[in-house]
Amino acid sequence: MPSQMLTIEVDRLDAGAVRVRLAGELDFDTAPELVEAVARLRRDGCQEVELDFGGVVLCDSSGLSALVVIHRSGTGAVRLRNTNPQIRHLL
């Protein structure tokens, strides 16, 4: 069964900070999209990243790996918001 599309919406909070709202499935097929989106934001000067998981229905080990890559590739804080029980258990 194919993955549900991952939707990524970006809200700039202030200088150097951004909120990334996610919806759909964060898995093997979609995790690279998130990594690339955050990398682009960091190249544009956003160091603090808030990832809002309010719309995420599934996160697998590839999604977890993407979070590790995002954390290790930046110098600013990475915060997770609105994680559901499945995601908290995975973390």
Side-chain angles (χ1 to χ4, degrees), residues 6 22-26 52-59 82 84 86-87:
L6 180 68
L22 307 172
E25 295 182 0
L26 183 55
D52 185 339
F53 277 75
V56 174
V57 295
L58 176 121
C59 180
N82 299 317
N84 65 37
Q86 182 265 334
I87 293 169

Side-chain angles (χ1 to χ4, degrees), residues 7-83:
T7 302
I8 301 171
E9 296 180 8
V10 176
D11 297 319
R12 297 201 183 252
L13 302 175
D14 56 32
V18 65
R19 176 181 299 123
V20 180
R21 290 181 287 140
L22 307 172
E25 295 182 0
L26 183 55
D27 61 11
F28 180 81
D29 294 323
T30 61
E33 296 173 44
L34 177 60
V35 171
E36 180 55 33
V38 173
R40 277 193 311 270
L41 291 166
R42 286 200 165 134
R43 285 191 297 270
D44 289 344
C46 297
Q47 294 304 312
E48 293 190 24
V49 178
E50 177 181 304
L51 298 174
D52 185 339
F53 277 75
V56 174
V57 295
L58 176 121
C59 180
D60 69 5
S61 61
S62 296
L64 181 59
S65 178
L67 298 178
V68 172
V69 169
I70 289 167
H71 171 72
R72 289 184 176 171
S73 65
T75 57
V78 177
R79 293 181 179 82
L80 307 182
R81 300 279 190 248
N82 299 317
T83 55

